[in-house]
């Protein structure tokens, strides 16, 4: 049997390890358009961006591991087309060269996501997705540099935090009335607004910038979300809708093809609806389940969504998903003056049950917040 994985990111790199861990000794081909070994992206907006972490520390496995585990790793190679009937992936080296066809018995798609482009042609925005993007950004974040960030989501705020710590002057333009409003709701989103203002960020809320707004800046980062990279799946004829549609076992509309990570729009058995999650933990845990299913298991992926962030001295973890139904109220335990190092736990409650929970600066709470999901409150 031959297993082919398209996308050598966090999910791709994790899946190959799980295949070997579960005793699969057959052929594994891992195809990645980037020229780097699979790596984790969270440090790109945090430790690596601030010069506190080396790129090697972000690798999923080192080079020797792929050799020892006999992984046919094809980096700098793009999958250009999938023929589902013939079970063939067509590939081309990104810097030119001859196309190569790769046959598979089972295929895993883990092509991730790409930043949404801001339609403001007159301004040369930087974007942040890859290690090369992070290196470029790091060059620009000099003490005293005037930095504009469009988008007060996770990436925008993490870069704001890194830039302030490096001594840059930072302005964040956010369309919403608060940063992170859609994910956290006003009760907790305002904690992040206070955190950034307290660290000297000029946070301009309810603000859609035009090119005149960028006149005084040395550089501008656009961090306005990502789109799942589904072109390959879509052209192959797999069912797609805001990602590649997968069932509870992460299988696509073709029984030989699975999809995981940022591209997977899963029929989630616990949530009872579809969800596509763009976070680190999801890429790892889905990849493990899909790898076992490629080997013949029929496991459902039923983990509650999870994410974390680090900004200045604040570390937080969040479990669950409020979803389109929203929540009735939020209960906060502890005090939220995070500028003074306060720790708190927050619970989003709907119909008397916890649907999401988080902690800030309370690392003993990791298990407790996960266990709280679905409990009465
Ligand atoms: P990716 O990591 O995007 O990997 C996909 C790979 O597939 C890419 O290398 C791409 O080049 C390749 N590819 C695409 N198309 C093709 C093709 N046709 N042929 C070959 N290769 C292809 N999550 C958190 O929970 N907490 C955080 O603090 C956090 N911080 C983040 C900071 C940054 C700067 C970024 C960008 C993301 C962060 N995330 C965080 C999100 C997390 O990194 C992603 O959810 C995760 O990387 C998704 O993994 P993936 O393998 O699905 O996709």
């Amino acid at each position: 049997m031959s297993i082919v994985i398209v996308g050598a990111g966090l999910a791709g790199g994790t899946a190959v390890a799980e295949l070997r861990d579960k005793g699969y000794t057959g052929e594994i081909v891992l195809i990645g358009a980037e020229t780097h070994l699979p790596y984790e992206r969270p440090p790109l907006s945090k430790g690596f961006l601030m010069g506190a972490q080396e790129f090697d520390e972000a690798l999923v496995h080192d080079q020797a591991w792929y050799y020892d585990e006999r992984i046919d790793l094809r980096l700098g190679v793009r999958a250009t087309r999938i023929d589902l009937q013939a079970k063939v992936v067509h590939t081309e080296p990104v810097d030119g060269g001859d196309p190569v066809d790769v046959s598979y018995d089972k295929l895993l798609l883990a092509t991730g996501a790409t930043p949404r482009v801001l339609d403001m042609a007159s301004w040369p925005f930087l974007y942040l997705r890859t290690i090369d993007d992070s290196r470029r950004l790091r060059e620009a974040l000099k003490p005293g540099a005037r930095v504009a960030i469009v988008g007060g989501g996770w990436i925008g705020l993490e870069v704001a935090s890194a830039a302030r710590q490096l001594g840059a002057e930072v302005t964040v333009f956010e369309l919403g009335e608060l940063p992170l409003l859609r994910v956290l709701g006003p009760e907790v989103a305002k904690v992040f607004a206070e955190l950034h203002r307290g660290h000297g960020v000029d946070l301009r809320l309810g603000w859609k910038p035009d090119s005149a707004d960028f006149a005084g800046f040395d550089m501008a980062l656009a961090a306005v979300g990502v789109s799942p990279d589904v072109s390959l799946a879509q052209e192959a004829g797999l069912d797609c809708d805001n990602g590649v549609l997968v069932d509870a076992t992460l299988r696509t509309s073709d029984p030989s093809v699975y999809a995981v990570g940022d591209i997977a729009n899963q029929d989630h058995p616990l949530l009872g609806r579809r969800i596509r999650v763009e976070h680190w933990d999801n890429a790892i845990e889905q990849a493990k389940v899909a790898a076992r299913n490629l080997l013949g298991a029929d496991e459902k992926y039923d983990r509650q969504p999870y994410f974390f962030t680090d900004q200045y001295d604040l570390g937080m973890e969040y479990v669950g998903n409020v979803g389109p139904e929203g929540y009735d109220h939020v209960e906060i335990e502890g005090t939220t003056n995070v500028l003074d190092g306060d720790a708190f736990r927050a619970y989003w409650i709907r119909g008397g049950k916890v649907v999401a929970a988080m902690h800030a600066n309370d690392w003993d709470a990791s298990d407790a917040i996960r266990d709280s999901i679905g409990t009465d409150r």
Side-chain angles (χ1 to χ4, degrees), residues 6-13 31-34 39-46 74 77-80 110-114 128-130 154-155 158-159 226 229 231-232 260-263 277-284 306-310:
V6 177
L10 178 57
I31 299 166
E34 290 183 68
Y39 58 91
E40 306 201 1
R41 297 183 197 274
L44 306 186
S45 51
K46 308 179 189 72
R74 304 193 188 181
V77 171
R78 180 169 290 283
T80 51
T111 49
T114 40
L128 177 55
R129 182 72 191 180
T130 66
W154 299 113
I155 305 280
E158 288 174 1
V159 172
V226 293
D229 214 331
S231 52
L232 199 59
V260 289
D262 283 9
I263 55 162
V277 177
E278 295 166 353
H279 292 300
W280 172 87
D281 175 81
N282 177 72
I284 295 173
Y306 161 97
F307 62 85
F308 67 94
T309 186
D310 295 308

Side-chain angles (χ1 to χ4, degrees), residues 302-375:
D302 60 2
R303 191 172 162 83
Q304 287 285 350
Y306 161 97
F307 62 85
F308 67 94
T309 186
D310 295 308
Q311 298 173 30
Y312 312 101
D313 291 332
L314 176 113
M316 74 89 104
E317 295 181 290
Y318 178 108
V319 182
N321 186 268
V322 166
E325 288 170 71
Y327 59 92
D328 303 329
H329 65 282
V330 180
E331 269 179 37
I332 293 180
E333 286 174 2
T335 47
T336 59
N337 190 357
V338 286
L339 281 168
D340 289 343
D342 282 2
F344 68 92
R345 299 178 190 189
Y347 301 90
W348 285 259
I349 294 152
R350 182 173 64 232
K353 292 206 183 300
V354 178
V355 288
M358 73 166 260
H359 78 79
N361 296 333
D362 183 1
W363 294 99
D364 292 338
S366 303
D367 292 339
I369 58 166
R370 182 171 287 282
D371 294 345
S372 75
I373 307 299
T375 58

Side-chain angles (χ1 to χ4, degrees), residues 90-135:
H90 300 274
T91 72
E92 279 176 21
V94 287
D95 58 359
D98 294 333
V100 174
D101 288 351
V102 186
S103 297
Y104 65 84
D105 295 297
K106 292 282 171 66
L107 177 65
L108 179 64
L109 297 178
T111 49
T114 40
R116 278 198 208 114
V117 173
L118 250 193
D119 188 15
M120 215 181 286
S122 58
W123 195 265
F125 288 106
L126 293 184
Y127 292 87
L128 177 55
R129 182 72 191 180
T130 66
I131 182 68
D132 302 319
D133 296 338
S134 183
R135 285 200 173 108

Side-chain angles (χ1 to χ4, degrees), residues 28 34 38 50 56 66 70 84 92 106 108 149 163 189 194 207 217 230 241 257 293 311 362:
I28 303 176
E34 290 183 68
M50 286 191 286
D56 283 1
Y66 294 93
R70 293 177 302 100
L84 296 173
E92 279 176 21
K106 292 282 171 66
L108 179 64
I149 297 172
E194 285 158 13
W207 198 303
F217 289 101
V230 294
D241 180 13
V257 184
N293 288 345
Q311 298 173 30
D362 183 1

Side-chain angles (χ1 to χ4, degrees), residues 39-294:
Y39 58 91
E40 306 201 1
R41 297 183 197 274
L44 306 186
S45 51
K46 308 179 189 72
F48 182 81
L49 188 59
M50 286 191 286
Q53 207 177 335
E54 295 299 322
F55 178 52
D56 283 1
E57 296 171 54
L59 293 178
V60 181
H61 316 286
D62 62 20
Q63 178 88 55
W65 184 90
Y66 294 93
Y67 180 80
D68 293 345
E69 297 294 336
R70 293 177 302 100
I71 310 298
D72 183 349
L73 185 57
R74 304 193 188 181
L75 298 177
V77 171
R78 180 169 290 283
T80 51
R81 196 163 63 81
I82 302 166
D83 185 334
L84 296 173
Q85 303 305 319
K87 293 194 169 183
V88 167
V89 179
H90 300 274
T91 72
E92 279 176 21
V94 287
D95 58 359
D98 294 333
V100 174
D101 288 351
V102 186
S103 297
Y104 65 84
D105 295 297
K106 292 282 171 66
L107 177 65
L108 179 64
L109 297 178
T111 49
T114 40
R116 278 198 208 114
V117 173
L118 250 193
D119 188 15
M120 215 181 286
S122 58
W123 195 265
F125 288 106
L126 293 184
Y127 292 87
L128 177 55
R129 182 72 191 180
T130 66
I131 182 68
D132 302 319
D133 296 338
S134 183
R135 285 200 173 108
R136 254 190 305 274
L137 190 56
R138 191 163 140 181
E139 280 292 297
L141 296 182
K142 305 252 188 306
R146 288 154 304 170
V147 173
I149 297 172
V150 184
W154 299 113
I155 305 280
L157 294 187
E158 288 174 1
V159 172
S161 157
R164 284 300 294 140
Q165 291 176 78
L166 291 167
E169 298 298 321
V170 178
T171 302
V172 174
F173 298 95
E174 164 57 42
L175 201 56
E177 292 304 313
L178 283 169
L180 304 169
L181 184 60
R182 210 167 33 88
V183 197
L184 298 179
E187 302 85 350
V188 179
K190 72 172 198 277
V191 176
F192 282 85
E194 285 158 13
L195 174 71
H196 282 271
R197 286 196 165 129
H199 280 279
V201 172
D202 179 358
L203 194 55
R204 303 196 188 169
L205 300 173
W207 198 303
K208 185 168 194 266
D210 58 34
S211 35
D213 284 310
F214 299 114
F217 289 101
D218 298 313
M219 62 139 286
L221 174 82
V224 292
V226 293
S227 309
D229 214 331
V230 294
S231 52
L232 199 59
Q234 211 154 21
E235 282 162 25
L238 294 171
D239 291 348
C240 294
D241 180 13
N242 177 31
V244 182
L245 295 182
V246 293
D247 66 11
T249 68
L250 304 168
R251 200 172 54 184
T252 69
S253 52
D254 181 305
S256 302
V257 184
Y258 288 71
V260 289
D262 283 9
I263 55 162
N265 183 349
Q266 192 213 2
D267 187 0
H268 196 288
L270 271 191
L271 299 176
R273 60 183 154 80
R274 287 202 166 273
I275 184 166
R276 190 173 65 75
V277 177
E278 295 166 353
H279 292 300
W280 172 87
D281 175 81
N282 177 72
I284 295 173
E285 299 301 330
Q286 282 193 340
K288 291 181 188 168
V289 170
R292 297 195 286 270
N293 288 345
L294 288 168

